[in-house]
Amino acid sequence: MPSRIPTRRSPVPGAPSGAVNESRRHWLRAAAGMGAAGLGLALVPEVRVFAQQVQEFIEGPPVPDVKPEQLSPHVWMVYAKEGFPTQENQGLMASVIFVVTQKGVVVLDSGASLQIGQMAIRMIKTVTPKPVIAVFNSHYHGDHWLGNHAFAEAYGKDLPIHALAYTREQIAGHEGNTWRSLMERWTNQATLGTKVVAPNQTVAHGQVFDYGDVQIRLHHYGRAHTPSDLCFEIVQDKLTYVGDIAMENRIANIDDGSYPGTFKYYDALKKAAGDQLWLPGHGRGSKDLLDTYGTFMKGIWEPSVQAVRDGIPLDGAKALVLKDPRVASRAKAMAGFDSNIGKYTSLAYLEAEKEAF
Protein backbone atom coordinates (compact mmCIF):
# COMPACT_ATOMS: atom_id res chain seq x y z
CA MET A 1 0.00 0.00 0.00
CA PRO A 2 1.11 3.64 -0.45
CA SER A 3 2.84 5.28 2.49
CA ARG A 4 0.11 7.90 2.40
CA ILE A 5 -3.55 6.97 2.82
CA PRO A 6 -5.24 7.05 -0.58
CA THR A 7 -8.17 9.33 -1.26
CA ARG A 8 -11.64 8.03 -1.98
CA ARG A 9 -12.99 8.77 -5.44
CA SER A 10 -16.70 8.16 -4.73
CA PRO A 11 -18.82 6.19 -2.24
CA VAL A 12 -20.48 2.86 -2.78
CA PRO A 13 -24.20 3.60 -3.36
CA GLY A 14 -26.20 3.34 -0.14
CA ALA A 15 -23.22 3.15 2.23
CA PRO A 16 -21.85 5.86 4.54
CA SER A 17 -18.75 7.18 2.80
CA GLY A 18 -16.47 7.27 5.86
CA ALA A 19 -17.47 3.79 6.98
CA VAL A 20 -17.00 2.38 3.47
CA ASN A 21 -13.56 3.93 3.13
CA GLU A 22 -12.43 2.67 6.54
CA SER A 23 -13.89 -0.76 5.83
CA ARG A 24 -11.93 -1.03 2.60
CA ARG A 25 -8.70 0.05 4.23
CA HIS A 26 -9.27 -2.50 7.00
CA TRP A 27 -9.93 -5.24 4.45
CA LEU A 28 -6.78 -4.36 2.50
CA ARG A 29 -4.66 -4.45 5.64
CA ALA A 30 -6.15 -7.77 6.67
CA ALA A 31 -5.72 -9.35 3.22
CA ALA A 32 -2.12 -8.14 3.02
CA GLY A 33 -1.36 -9.76 6.37
CA MET A 34 -2.87 -13.14 5.51
CA GLY A 35 -0.34 -14.11 2.83
CA ALA A 36 -1.40 -17.34 1.12
CA ALA A 37 -4.60 -17.43 3.14
CA GLY A 38 -5.44 -13.98 1.82
CA LEU A 39 -4.88 -15.23 -1.73
CA GLY A 40 -7.27 -18.09 -1.08
CA LEU A 41 -9.86 -15.73 0.32
CA ALA A 42 -9.48 -13.56 -2.77
CA LEU A 43 -10.78 -16.47 -4.84
CA VAL A 44 -14.20 -16.19 -3.14
CA PRO A 45 -16.48 -14.37 -5.64
CA GLU A 46 -17.77 -11.84 -3.09
CA VAL A 47 -14.23 -10.94 -2.07
CA ARG A 48 -13.13 -10.60 -5.69
CA VAL A 49 -15.98 -8.16 -6.31
CA PHE A 50 -15.08 -6.21 -3.18
CA ALA A 51 -11.44 -6.06 -4.24
CA GLN A 52 -12.48 -4.76 -7.64
CA GLN A 53 -14.57 -2.06 -5.95
CA VAL A 54 -11.55 -1.06 -3.88
CA GLN A 55 -9.53 -0.67 -7.09
CA GLU A 56 -12.27 1.45 -8.63
CA PHE A 57 -12.95 3.73 -5.68
CA ILE A 58 -9.52 4.26 -4.12
CA GLU A 59 -6.81 6.32 -5.74
CA GLY A 60 -3.30 7.37 -4.87
CA PRO A 61 -2.33 10.79 -3.52
CA PRO A 62 -2.30 13.96 -5.62
CA VAL A 63 0.91 14.88 -7.41
CA PRO A 64 2.40 18.21 -6.26
CA ASP A 65 2.11 21.06 -8.75
CA VAL A 66 4.95 21.69 -11.17
CA LYS A 67 4.84 25.20 -12.60
CA PRO A 68 4.68 25.07 -16.41
CA GLU A 69 7.53 26.54 -18.44
CA GLN A 70 7.00 28.36 -21.73
CA LEU A 71 9.34 27.06 -24.43
CA SER A 72 8.12 29.00 -27.48
CA PRO A 73 5.22 31.29 -28.41
CA HIS A 74 2.68 28.44 -28.22
CA VAL A 75 4.39 25.54 -26.44
CA TRP A 76 4.56 24.89 -22.69
CA MET A 77 6.07 22.08 -20.65
CA VAL A 78 5.22 20.56 -17.27
CA TYR A 79 8.77 19.39 -16.66
CA ALA A 80 9.61 16.03 -15.15
CA LYS A 81 13.08 15.48 -13.76
CA GLU A 82 14.92 12.76 -15.63
CA GLY A 83 14.94 9.42 -13.91
CA PHE A 84 12.79 6.38 -13.38
CA PRO A 85 9.42 5.86 -11.63
CA THR A 86 9.63 5.69 -7.84
CA GLN A 87 7.41 6.18 -4.83
CA GLU A 88 9.08 9.55 -4.27
CA ASN A 89 8.41 10.99 -7.73
CA GLN A 90 5.00 9.23 -7.98
CA GLY A 91 5.80 8.27 -11.56
CA LEU A 92 6.49 11.82 -12.73
CA MET A 93 9.48 11.12 -14.97
CA ALA A 94 8.17 12.08 -18.43
CA SER A 95 7.22 15.67 -19.21
CA VAL A 96 3.74 16.73 -20.29
CA ILE A 97 3.80 19.12 -23.26
CA PHE A 98 0.88 21.36 -24.20
CA VAL A 99 0.26 23.75 -27.07
CA VAL A 100 -2.01 26.77 -26.60
CA THR A 101 -3.78 27.46 -29.90
CA GLN A 102 -6.54 29.71 -31.15
CA LYS A 103 -9.00 26.82 -30.96
CA GLY A 104 -7.93 25.37 -27.62
CA VAL A 105 -5.19 23.41 -25.87
CA VAL A 106 -3.50 20.41 -27.48
CA VAL A 107 -1.65 18.00 -25.17
CA LEU A 108 1.36 16.02 -26.39
CA ASP A 109 1.72 13.04 -24.03
CA SER A 110 -0.40 13.04 -20.90
CA GLY A 111 1.90 11.62 -18.22
CA ALA A 112 2.16 8.37 -16.28
CA SER A 113 -1.00 8.36 -14.19
CA LEU A 114 -4.41 9.80 -13.45
CA GLN A 115 -2.81 11.94 -10.75
CA ILE A 116 -0.13 13.34 -13.08
CA GLY A 117 -2.78 14.12 -15.68
CA GLN A 118 -4.87 15.91 -13.05
CA MET A 119 -1.86 17.98 -12.01
CA ALA A 120 -1.16 18.84 -15.66
CA ILE A 121 -4.76 20.02 -16.08
CA ARG A 122 -4.39 22.28 -13.03
CA MET A 123 -1.21 23.71 -14.54
CA ILE A 124 -2.78 24.28 -17.96
CA LYS A 125 -5.52 26.30 -16.26
CA THR A 126 -2.87 28.62 -14.79
CA VAL A 127 -1.79 29.47 -18.33
CA THR A 128 -5.10 29.69 -20.21
CA PRO A 129 -8.84 29.32 -19.62
CA LYS A 130 -9.15 27.50 -22.95
CA PRO A 131 -10.24 23.85 -22.79
CA VAL A 132 -8.16 20.89 -23.88
CA ILE A 133 -9.46 19.93 -27.32
CA ALA A 134 -7.10 17.08 -28.24
CA VAL A 135 -4.46 14.74 -26.83
CA PHE A 136 -1.70 12.99 -28.81
CA ASN A 137 0.26 9.96 -27.59
CA SER A 138 3.79 9.62 -28.98
CA HIS A 139 4.10 5.85 -28.34
CA TYR A 140 2.74 3.05 -26.15
CA HIS A 141 5.03 3.17 -23.11
CA GLY A 142 2.81 4.00 -20.16
CA ASP A 143 4.75 6.94 -18.75
CA HIS A 144 3.51 8.88 -21.79
CA TRP A 145 -0.20 8.01 -21.94
CA LEU A 146 -1.62 6.75 -18.63
CA GLY A 147 -2.63 10.35 -17.93
CA ASN A 148 -5.22 10.02 -20.72
CA HIS A 149 -7.61 8.97 -17.94
CA ALA A 150 -7.51 12.42 -16.34
CA PHE A 151 -8.15 14.27 -19.61
CA ALA A 152 -11.03 12.00 -20.65
CA GLU A 153 -12.52 12.40 -17.17
CA ALA A 154 -12.19 16.19 -17.25
CA TYR A 155 -13.14 16.87 -20.89
CA GLY A 156 -15.40 13.95 -21.78
CA LYS A 157 -14.97 10.47 -23.21
CA ASP A 158 -15.30 11.87 -26.74
CA LEU A 159 -12.16 14.00 -26.36
CA PRO A 160 -10.00 13.12 -29.39
CA ILE A 161 -6.95 11.11 -28.29
CA HIS A 162 -4.70 10.53 -31.29
CA ALA A 163 -2.01 7.93 -31.96
CA LEU A 164 -0.56 5.77 -34.71
CA ALA A 165 -2.50 2.56 -35.32
CA TYR A 166 0.09 0.28 -33.72
CA THR A 167 0.33 2.47 -30.62
CA ARG A 168 -3.45 2.48 -30.33
CA GLU A 169 -3.59 -1.32 -30.65
CA GLN A 170 -0.89 -1.86 -28.03
CA ILE A 171 -2.50 0.44 -25.46
CA ALA A 172 -5.92 -1.11 -25.98
CA GLY A 173 -4.38 -4.58 -25.70
CA HIS A 174 -1.95 -6.30 -23.35
CA GLU A 175 0.53 -3.41 -23.10
CA GLY A 176 -2.10 -1.12 -21.59
CA ASN A 177 -2.83 -3.15 -18.48
CA THR A 178 0.79 -4.24 -18.17
CA TRP A 179 1.97 -0.63 -17.97
CA ARG A 180 -0.80 0.33 -15.55
CA SER A 181 0.21 -2.50 -13.20
CA LEU A 182 3.93 -1.81 -13.55
CA MET A 183 3.50 1.85 -12.71
CA GLU A 184 1.54 0.97 -9.58
CA ARG A 185 4.27 -1.43 -8.49
CA TRP A 186 7.18 0.90 -9.26
CA THR A 187 5.57 3.78 -7.33
CA ASN A 188 4.31 1.71 -4.37
CA GLN A 189 0.74 2.26 -5.61
CA ALA A 190 1.00 6.06 -5.83
CA THR A 191 -0.74 5.79 -9.23
CA LEU A 192 -3.57 3.64 -7.89
CA GLY A 193 -6.93 4.41 -9.49
CA THR A 194 -5.51 5.04 -12.96
CA LYS A 195 -7.53 3.38 -15.72
CA VAL A 196 -6.40 2.46 -19.21
CA VAL A 197 -7.89 4.98 -21.62
CA ALA A 198 -6.71 4.08 -25.10
CA PRO A 199 -6.48 6.52 -28.02
CA ASN A 200 -9.73 6.77 -29.97
CA GLN A 201 -8.38 8.34 -33.17
CA THR A 202 -5.86 6.84 -35.60
CA VAL A 203 -3.41 9.17 -37.32
CA ALA A 204 -0.69 8.73 -39.93
CA HIS A 205 2.68 10.14 -40.95
CA GLY A 206 2.45 13.45 -42.77
CA GLN A 207 -0.90 14.55 -41.40
CA VAL A 208 -1.20 18.23 -40.51
CA PHE A 209 -3.67 19.34 -37.84
CA ASP A 210 -4.81 22.95 -38.19
CA TYR A 211 -5.70 24.72 -34.94
CA GLY A 212 -6.09 28.19 -36.40
CA ASP A 213 -2.89 30.00 -35.55
CA VAL A 214 -0.93 26.77 -35.11
CA GLN A 215 -0.38 23.76 -37.33
CA ILE A 216 1.00 20.49 -35.98
CA ARG A 217 2.67 18.17 -38.51
CA LEU A 218 3.08 14.47 -37.66
CA HIS A 219 6.28 12.53 -38.40
CA HIS A 220 6.94 8.79 -38.35
CA TYR A 221 9.92 7.12 -40.05
CA GLY A 222 9.85 3.52 -38.90
CA ARG A 223 11.20 1.72 -35.86
CA ALA A 224 13.36 3.75 -33.47
CA HIS A 225 12.56 3.67 -29.74
CA THR A 226 9.51 1.52 -30.60
CA PRO A 227 7.91 0.45 -33.90
CA SER A 228 5.46 3.37 -33.71
CA ASP A 229 7.16 6.55 -32.51
CA LEU A 230 5.31 9.71 -33.48
CA CYS A 231 6.98 13.14 -33.48
CA PHE A 232 5.10 16.45 -33.52
CA GLU A 233 6.34 19.51 -35.38
CA ILE A 234 4.82 22.76 -34.12
CA VAL A 235 5.27 24.46 -37.46
CA GLN A 236 5.02 28.14 -36.46
CA ASP A 237 7.37 27.70 -33.48
CA LYS A 238 10.10 25.64 -35.18
CA LEU A 239 9.86 23.19 -32.30
CA THR A 240 9.43 19.42 -32.63
CA TYR A 241 8.48 17.18 -29.74
CA VAL A 242 10.27 13.86 -30.35
CA GLY A 243 8.95 11.72 -27.49
CA ASP A 244 11.50 9.05 -26.59
CA ILE A 245 13.46 8.67 -29.81
CA ALA A 246 16.08 10.87 -28.13
CA MET A 247 16.78 11.87 -24.53
CA GLU A 248 18.85 14.62 -22.96
CA ASN A 249 20.74 12.69 -20.30
CA ARG A 250 19.01 9.37 -19.72
CA ILE A 251 19.81 6.03 -21.30
CA ALA A 252 16.71 5.07 -23.24
CA ASN A 253 14.78 1.82 -23.24
CA ILE A 254 15.36 0.27 -26.65
CA ASP A 255 13.93 -3.18 -25.96
CA ASP A 256 11.28 -2.61 -28.64
CA GLY A 257 13.44 -0.47 -30.88
CA SER A 258 16.34 -0.45 -33.30
CA TYR A 259 19.74 1.23 -33.34
CA PRO A 260 20.08 1.63 -37.12
CA GLY A 261 16.36 2.43 -37.26
CA THR A 262 16.95 5.29 -34.82
CA PHE A 263 19.76 6.76 -36.94
CA LYS A 264 17.63 6.53 -40.10
CA TYR A 265 14.73 8.18 -38.24
CA TYR A 266 16.97 11.08 -37.16
CA ASP A 267 18.21 11.66 -40.70
CA ALA A 268 14.71 11.62 -42.15
CA LEU A 269 13.28 13.86 -39.43
CA LYS A 270 16.03 16.46 -39.74
CA LYS A 271 15.64 16.51 -43.52
CA ALA A 272 11.87 16.94 -43.29
CA ALA A 273 11.64 19.48 -40.45
CA GLY A 274 14.89 21.41 -40.85
CA ASP A 275 16.33 23.54 -38.07
CA GLN A 276 14.30 22.90 -34.90
CA LEU A 277 14.33 22.98 -31.15
CA TRP A 278 14.16 19.22 -30.52
CA LEU A 279 12.21 18.53 -27.34
CA PRO A 280 12.42 15.07 -25.69
CA GLY A 281 9.93 13.39 -23.38
CA HIS A 282 12.70 13.03 -20.79
CA GLY A 283 14.90 16.03 -20.13
CA ARG A 284 15.22 19.42 -21.78
CA GLY A 285 15.37 20.24 -25.44
CA SER A 286 18.13 21.67 -27.60
CA LYS A 287 18.89 22.29 -31.24
CA ASP A 288 21.60 19.61 -31.21
CA LEU A 289 19.69 16.96 -29.24
CA LEU A 290 19.48 14.45 -32.10
CA ASP A 291 23.18 14.85 -32.83
CA THR A 292 24.36 14.54 -29.22
CA TYR A 293 22.14 11.61 -28.34
CA GLY A 294 22.79 10.01 -31.72
CA THR A 295 26.53 10.22 -31.04
CA PHE A 296 26.07 8.38 -27.74
CA MET A 297 23.92 5.70 -29.39
CA LYS A 298 26.53 5.19 -32.12
CA GLY A 299 29.10 4.70 -29.39
CA ILE A 300 27.12 1.61 -28.36
CA TRP A 301 26.14 0.43 -31.84
CA GLU A 302 29.36 0.72 -33.83
CA PRO A 303 31.63 -1.18 -31.38
CA SER A 304 28.94 -3.89 -31.18
CA VAL A 305 28.87 -4.20 -34.97
CA GLN A 306 32.67 -4.39 -35.04
CA ALA A 307 32.68 -7.06 -32.32
CA VAL A 308 30.28 -9.21 -34.35
CA ARG A 309 32.40 -8.79 -37.48
CA ASP A 310 35.55 -9.74 -35.58
CA GLY A 311 33.98 -12.71 -33.82
CA ILE A 312 34.35 -11.09 -30.39
CA PRO A 313 31.84 -12.43 -27.83
CA LEU A 314 29.33 -10.24 -26.00
CA ASP A 315 31.54 -9.60 -22.96
CA GLY A 316 34.25 -8.31 -25.26
CA ALA A 317 31.73 -6.10 -27.05
CA LYS A 318 30.71 -4.53 -23.74
CA ALA A 319 34.36 -3.76 -22.96
CA LEU A 320 34.70 -2.06 -26.36
CA VAL A 321 31.55 -0.01 -25.75
CA LEU A 322 32.70 1.16 -22.31
CA LYS A 323 36.05 2.27 -23.78
CA ASP A 324 34.46 4.18 -26.63
CA PRO A 325 34.90 7.93 -25.88
CA ARG A 326 31.35 8.66 -27.09
CA VAL A 327 30.07 6.45 -24.27
CA ALA A 328 32.77 6.94 -21.65
CA SER A 329 32.32 10.72 -21.70
CA ARG A 330 28.71 10.35 -20.52
CA ALA A 331 28.99 7.36 -18.19
CA LYS A 332 29.26 9.26 -14.91
CA ALA A 333 26.45 11.74 -15.43
CA MET A 334 23.84 9.81 -17.43
CA ALA A 335 20.80 8.61 -15.48
CA GLY A 336 20.47 4.83 -15.41
CA PHE A 337 23.80 4.26 -17.12
CA ASP A 338 25.31 1.62 -14.83
CA SER A 339 22.13 -0.44 -14.54
CA ASN A 340 21.31 -0.37 -18.25
CA ILE A 341 24.49 -0.20 -20.35
CA GLY A 342 25.03 -3.97 -20.23
CA LYS A 343 21.49 -4.69 -21.36
CA TYR A 344 21.54 -2.17 -24.19
CA THR A 345 24.94 -3.34 -25.38
CA SER A 346 23.47 -6.84 -25.50
CA LEU A 347 20.53 -5.58 -27.55
CA ALA A 348 22.92 -3.81 -29.93
CA TYR A 349 25.02 -6.97 -30.25
CA LEU A 350 21.97 -9.13 -31.01
CA GLU A 351 20.72 -6.64 -33.61
CA ALA A 352 24.18 -6.47 -35.16
CA GLU A 353 24.20 -10.27 -35.45
CA LYS A 354 20.86 -10.13 -37.28
CA GLU A 355 22.14 -7.39 -39.58
CA ALA A 356 25.22 -9.50 -40.36
CA PHE A 357 23.06 -12.34 -41.61
Side-chain angles (χ1 to χ4, degrees):
M1 291 297 293
S3 59
R4 283 162 285 191
I5 296 174
T7 56
R8 178 176 51 82
R9 293 187 61 202
S10 56
V12 174
S17 61
V20 169
N21 207 27
E22 181 56 35
S23 173
R24 288 187 177 123
R25 285 198 293 268
H26 175 76
W27 184 88
L28 285 171
R29 293 190 194 103
M34 282 189 287
L39 291 175
L41 180 62
L43 296 176
V44 178
E46 292 81 359
V47 177
R48 285 205 309 270
V49 170
F50 190 65
Q52 183 178 356
Q53 289 176 337
V54 170
Q55 174 69 29
E56 291 174 353
F57 288 95
I58 301 296
E59 64 184 45
V63 170
D65 291 349
V66 177
K67 185 179 179 180
E69 304 174 21
Q70 188 168 13
L71 304 179
S72 65
H74 302 94
V75 181
W76 295 73
M77 172 176 66
V78 177
Y79 177 69
K81 293 181 180 179
E82 283 188 293
F84 300 87
T86 64
Q87 181 178 351
E88 289 70 32
N89 66 25
Q90 297 174 251
L92 182 59
M93 34 78 79
S95 299
V96 177
I97 311 303
F98 63 96
V99 187
V100 181
T101 79
Q102 193 176 65
K103 295 183 178 180
V105 178
V106 178
V107 173
L108 309 178
D109 282 350
S110 58
S113 70
L114 167 67
Q115 293 82 358
I116 291 170
Q118 290 170 335
M119 183 272 287
I121 291 169
R122 294 196 301 271
M123 296 302 95
I124 290 169
K125 289 179 178 179
T126 69
V127 172
T128 177
K130 294 179 179 180
V132 173
I133 58 172
V135 174
F136 288 83
N137 295 153
S138 65
H139 62 293
Y140 57 81
H141 292 161
D143 50 325
H144 294 268
W145 62 264
L146 279 162
N148 290 356
H149 179 185
F151 289 92
E153 192 173 70
Y155 297 100
K157 62 181 179 61
D158 294 328
L159 174 72
I161 303 178
H162 305 279
L164 291 172
Y166 188 75
T167 293
R168 187 177 175 186
E169 290 167 8
Q170 294 300 300
I171 294 174
H174 176 70
E175 287 283 340
N177 278 314
T178 296
W179 273 97
R180 180 189 59 77
S181 298
L182 286 172
M183 201 59 66
E184 285 181 8
R185 188 180 76 193
W186 289 332
T187 63
N188 192 25
Q189 299 188 19
T191 64
L192 196 68
T194 302
K195 296 180 182 178
V196 173
V197 176
N200 53 27
Q201 303 290 321
T202 300
V203 296
H205 165 70
Q207 276 188 264
V208 177
F209 285 77
D210 189 346
Y211 295 105
D213 56 339
V214 176
Q215 283 76 50
I216 300 178
R217 178 177 291 119
L218 309 187
H219 296 271
H220 170 66
Y221 301 101
R223 183 186 295 265
H225 176 65
T226 73
S228 53
D229 297 293
L230 193 59
C231 296
F232 309 92
E233 179 189 353
I234 316 307
V235 176
Q236 283 71 19
D237 291 22
K238 293 189 179 298
L239 180 153
T240 296
Y241 174 59
V242 300
D244 279 4
I245 68 167
M247 299 189 183
E248 180 194 10
N249 195 39
R250 177 178 181 268
I251 188 166
N253 178 334
I254 200 165
D255 295 57
D256 303 331
S258 166
Y259 283 89
T262 294
F263 308 138
K264 291 174 184 176
Y265 200 121
Y266 288 178
D267 290 343
L269 183 58
K270 288 189 287 187
K271 183 177 180 180
D275 183 42
Q276 297 281 298
L277 172 63
W278 306 107
L279 180 63
H282 301 272
R284 298 188 181 279
S286 64
K287 289 195 171 184
D288 64 353
L289 176 72
L290 301 187
D291 293 329
T292 56
Y293 194 75
T295 295
F296 168 72
M297 292 282 279
K298 287 178 180 178
I300 299 175
W301 172 248
E302 291 175 356
S304 298
V305 170
Q306 192 61 50
V308 169
R309 288 175 179 166
D310 294 344
I312 297 172
L314 177 58
D315 286 347
K318 182 178 177 182
L320 291 174
V321 168
L322 291 173
K323 290 178 182 178
D324 191 292
R326 296 169 292 186
V327 174
S329 63
R330 304 194 68 176
K332 290 183 179 179
M334 180 169 278
F337 182 89
D338 290 337
S339 57
N340 286 294
I341 189 62
K343 176 182 180 181
Y344 296 132
T345 297
S346 176
L347 291 170
Y349 191 86
L350 290 172
E351 189 173 9
E353 285 185 320
K354 292 179 182 177
E355 292 262 315
F357 296 99

